[in-house]
Amino acid sequence: MNETIPPRDANTRPSTLDDVARRAGVSLGTASKALNGRDRVSDATRARVEDAARALAYVGNPLARGLSQGLSGTVGLLTSDLEGRFSLPILMGAEDRFGAGRVSVFLCDARGDAIREQHYISALLARRVDAIMVVGSKTDHRAPIGRDLPVPVIYVYTPSQDPRDLSLTPDNVAGGRMAIEHLLASGRRHIAHLTGPRHERAAADRTRGIAQVLAESETQLMFETAYGEWTERWGRSSCAMMLEQGTKVDAILCDSDQIARGALDALRERGIRVPDDVAVIGFDNWDIIVEGTHPPLTSIDMNLGLLGRHAAERLFHAIGGAPLASGIELSDCRLVVRGSTALTI
Amino acid sequence: MNETIPPRDANTRPSTLDDVARRAGVSLGTASKALNGRDRVSDATRARVEDAARALAYVGNPLARGLSQGLSGTVGLLTSDLEGRFSLPILMGAEDRFGAGRVSVFLCDARGDAIREQHYISALLARRVDAIMVVGSKTDHRAPIGRDLPVPVIYVYTPSQDPRDLSLTPDNVAGGRMAIEHLLASGRRHIAHLTGPRHERAAADRTRGIAQVLAESETQLMFETAYGEWTERWGRSSCAMMLEQGTKVDAILCDSDQIARGALDALRERGIRVPDDVAVIGFDNWDIIVEGTHPPLTSIDMNLGLLGRHAAERLFHAIGGAPLASGIELSDCRLVVRGSTALTI
DNA sequence: CTGTTAGCGCTTTCAG
DNA sequence: CTGAAAGCGCTAACAG
């Protein structure tokens, strides 16, 4: 158990800057400067050092560099809910951008547990990450992870409650507008709105966006919002109830693809044709659902991958020394039209 | 020398082991031993050091520790397809286990691109990760990421083609057996099998498991396998075709929940009752589908989270110096019975 | 038991 | 322009 790990032999051991310096016949310090282009070094020696480095397949040791220099070349990605379908795309976008910039990302999934989160935050800070990205799975605002942290922090999807922090989140108000406008534009006038829990911001925001459009709308129309859950089950049951009550409807605006899927199911069970009799639009543009339904589901895409990429971009600059902005920045949604609203003429 | 200690900005600079030692009135080395429990230290001084550490909110610097000790306390998680639904649970399980062991994980998503993957591997090695976990999204074997790497490597889900490597993957043969046995046990005798592409190992393995059971089975029965895709669309169309042809069926064994969902749809469209007329079983136990269907779907769970955790565990030991085993180790699947096969008596 | 002394690999003054 | 030397914070031999 307590055996010491055998030292790696010289041909296995990665070569150090010292090896390079020795081979190039210069001092350690000079080799460092030459390789980093930091200080004044003659072209001749620089070339010599670079050759040596190449010959030895030298790769700097980030640990050592980090220790002496203070920057680790790593960032922390702190997610509260990896399993949910919102964190992942954001995380992928961010990872993509960081990877391209030779920054490595530490993944931390707090699983919605505050204690765990605290633990991860200290771990990240202890590791001297250069920045932290906090990703949530709801658009409700959250408590900031700390004040006066020694590194830049950005909040994605879930904005920070502190307006001094920088947060990036989808513009759900505009998303709601986009959805209702699409339905109105395709001639629908009797619209039901199935959304998630009343107290959740995403539901509220979209409802607000919809209301804005309705307020401006000239045409006579019927509209009603039902709050519930984000689930397929709720989509099915609420839609069924509505139909049972004989409500006249020619479009259903669902605030998640899962709700929409449930609604589609309920409609079909009653022989109601989509989109001929009723148009259905969802939210999230979740491929697995949107392409699996019958007909394929029109949906609003929050461009989460892009959001993650942007966030990474911002952190990049902040690490470079630029001050991070403050406040909540909203990002655009995108309408993806599919069979569930497109009338086959 | 030690007369006037310059005031340090204690609230800005994280306290170091030196601070702790000084405060506890012991030497640096002693403090280190006391905190690590490594060497013989009197209980009294250990307590004193621990108090000091607590008081100063001391958190060791992993960079420094790594530098001197040779271990970085980090591992690389190299996934080829984060988006797919198999990598994520594995990754979560692994992250969970590593996090508990104070190891941080670097996430790298190669997106199925070999160049990208190579880039990430060098990056990970440059960072001196202590181990690498390679996660794929198919059970087909893959080329190893390299020979004689300086750190232990484990392959999860996607086994390495090199038998000298250690690979962990679900036992799909047993999974197939489990599924068919469940159907037989519930009295089904006319069974159709809808699976993915013929050339994919997961499809082949499960089909093999099924064949084993059928070979041993005494009872007279009808069985047929249809290869296709893993999608809902394929599930619906193949099931529809089968019904159209008038094939007599009292159970459908689907090798993915998506296929099963499509099949359920096709059945319902024809007014065939599940599970009364036909039982349906899926694979993957993907919550979003399994709980959304009507009735809920019986499914085989590959215990991916556990698989990730196990893999992390193995790497842990390997980092500790224990040699890593070789070969492919199979992990158990688990049957989760729900309404789609459970007869309501 | 405890303190001292080397490093780990690299960056960075500060002299030459 | 280059080299020598002082750390970064920590662990691990080796003395006391």
Side-chain angles (χ1 to χ4, degrees), chain A residues 59-123:
Chain A
V59 194
N61 181 333
L63 294 184
R65 200 199 321 276
L67 225 209
S68 70
Q69 190 182 227
L71 279 184
S72 64
T74 62
V75 302
L77 243 61
L78 185 60
T79 147
S80 60
D81 170 26
L82 231 190
E83 196 155 18
R85 60 196 167 301
F86 300 128
S87 297
L88 191 61
I90 295 171
L91 188 144
M92 285 177 64
E95 192 268 346
D96 192 46
R97 177 65 188 84
F98 280 126
R102 335 206 104 268
V103 169
S104 301
V105 309
F106 282 120
L107 176 65
C108 305
D109 181 5
R111 286 168 173 54
D113 176 357
I115 310 261
R116 250 180 117 93
E117 185 172 278
Q118 261 321 311
H119 162 78
Y120 273 128
I121 292 169
S122 354

Side-chain angles (χ1 to χ4, degrees), chain A residues 17 32 38 58 65 68:
Chain A
L17 186 56
S32 168
R38 283 231 172 297
Y58 170 74
R65 200 199 321 276
S68 70

Side-chain angles (χ1 to χ4, degrees), chain A residues 107-190:
Chain A
L107 176 65
C108 305
D109 181 5
R111 286 168 173 54
D113 176 357
I115 310 261
R116 250 180 117 93
E117 185 172 278
Q118 261 321 311
H119 162 78
Y120 273 128
I121 292 169
S122 354
L124 288 174
L125 293 176
R127 284 209 185 276
R128 306 301 192 269
V129 293
D130 299 332
I132 295 181
M133 182 182 297
V134 180
V135 182
S137 57
K138 291 189 181 175
T139 61
D140 296 86
H141 296 199
R142 58 157 288 158
I145 63 171
R147 184 99 332 274
D148 299 321
L149 293 177
V151 296
V153 178
I154 195 171
Y155 296 81
V156 190
Y157 202 77
T158 300
S160 164
Q161 277 156 359
D162 188 329
R164 288 169 294 180
D165 291 323
L166 175 59
S167 307
L168 267 43
T169 193
D171 189 344
N172 272 316
V173 177
R177 274 201 305 264
M178 202 173 262
I180 187 82
E181 276 166 355
H182 174 61
L183 293 178
L184 292 177
S186 40
R188 310 295 175 160
R189 291 295 178 271
H190 301 262

Side-chain angles (χ1 to χ4, degrees), chain B residues 182 188 275 279 298 337-344:
Chain B
H182 174 61
R188 311 296 173 160
T298 293
V337 179
R338 295 198 185 77
S340 70
T341 60
L343 277 178
T344 51

Side-chain angles (χ1 to χ4, degrees), chain B residues 220-231:
Chain B
Q220 193 71 20
L221 53 72
M222 179 235 109
F223 185 86
E224 198 161 328
T225 292
Y227 293 91
E229 304 162 14
W230 299 112
T231 62

Side-chain angles (χ1 to χ4, degrees), chain A residues 2-20:
Chain A
N2 295 343
E3 309 173 67
T4 42
I5 299 164
R8 289 180 191 134
D9 38 334
N11 24 356
T12 301
R13 181 181 66 80
S15 47
T16 75
L17 186 56
D18 195 51
D19 299 336
V20 174

Side-chain angles (χ1 to χ4, degrees), chain B residues 36-282:
Chain B
N36 295 315
R38 282 231 171 296
D39 222 331
R40 264 150 294 280
V41 178
S42 83
D43 286 357
T45 51
R46 159 157 303 143
R48 214 137 37 84
V49 172
E50 282 171 347
D51 284 351
R54 210 174 351 254
L56 294 172
Y58 169 74
V59 195
N61 181 332
L63 293 184
R65 201 198 319 276
L67 226 210
S68 72
Q69 194 179 225
L71 286 181
S72 65
T74 63
V75 302
L77 242 60
L78 185 60
T79 146
S80 60
D81 169 26
L82 231 191
E83 195 154 21
R85 62 196 165 300
F86 300 128
S87 297
L88 190 62
I90 295 171
L91 187 145
M92 286 177 63
E95 193 268 346
D96 191 47
R97 177 66 188 84
F98 281 126
R102 334 205 106 266
V103 168
S104 300
V105 308
F106 282 119
L107 176 65
C108 306
D109 181 7
R111 286 169 173 52
D113 176 358
I115 309 261
R116 251 181 115 91
E117 184 172 280
Q118 217 32 65
H119 161 79
Y120 272 128
I121 292 169
S122 347
L124 288 174
L125 292 176
R127 285 213 183 272
R128 307 300 195 270
V129 292
D130 299 331
I132 295 180
M133 182 182 297
V134 181
V135 181
S137 58
K138 291 188 179 177
T139 60
D140 296 86
H141 297 198
R142 59 157 288 158
I145 63 171
R147 186 102 326 279
D148 298 322
L149 292 177
V151 296
V153 177
I154 196 170
Y155 296 81
V156 189
Y157 203 78
T158 301
S160 164
Q161 277 156 359
D162 189 330
R164 287 169 295 180
D165 292 323
L166 174 60
S167 306
L168 267 41
T169 193
D171 189 344
N172 272 315
V173 177
R177 274 200 306 263
M178 202 173 262
I180 187 81
E181 277 167 354
H182 174 61
L183 294 178
L184 292 177
S186 40
R188 311 296 173 160
R189 291 294 178 274
H190 301 262
I191 303 173
H193 176 212
L194 304 181
T195 184
R198 183 188 298 271
H199 59 82
E200 282 199 26
R201 186 160 197 126
D205 283 349
R206 291 172 192 163
T207 303
R208 196 143 52 86
I210 293 169
Q212 291 175 2
V213 173
L214 295 184
E216 298 162 3
S217 147
E218 312 268 309
T219 55
Q220 193 71 20
L221 53 72
M222 179 235 109
F223 185 86
E224 198 161 328
T225 292
Y227 293 91
E229 304 162 14
W230 299 112
T231 62
E232 179 167 353
R233 173 191 306 266
W234 159 248
R236 178 178 11 242
S237 65
S238 56
C239 181
M241 184 177 313
M242 195 170 66
L243 297 172
E244 231 85 293
Q245 293 172 345
T247 314
K248 186 180 167 200
V249 169
D250 61 7
I252 305 182
L253 195 171
C254 304
D255 275 355
S256 86
D257 288 335
Q258 291 186 76
I259 295 179
R261 164 142 223 171
L264 283 173
D265 241 34
L267 290 170
R268 186 164 43 163
E269 265 171 12
R270 285 158 188 76
I272 300 174
R273 293 168 309 166
V274 175
D276 313 69
D277 302 328
V278 175
V280 176
I281 183 169

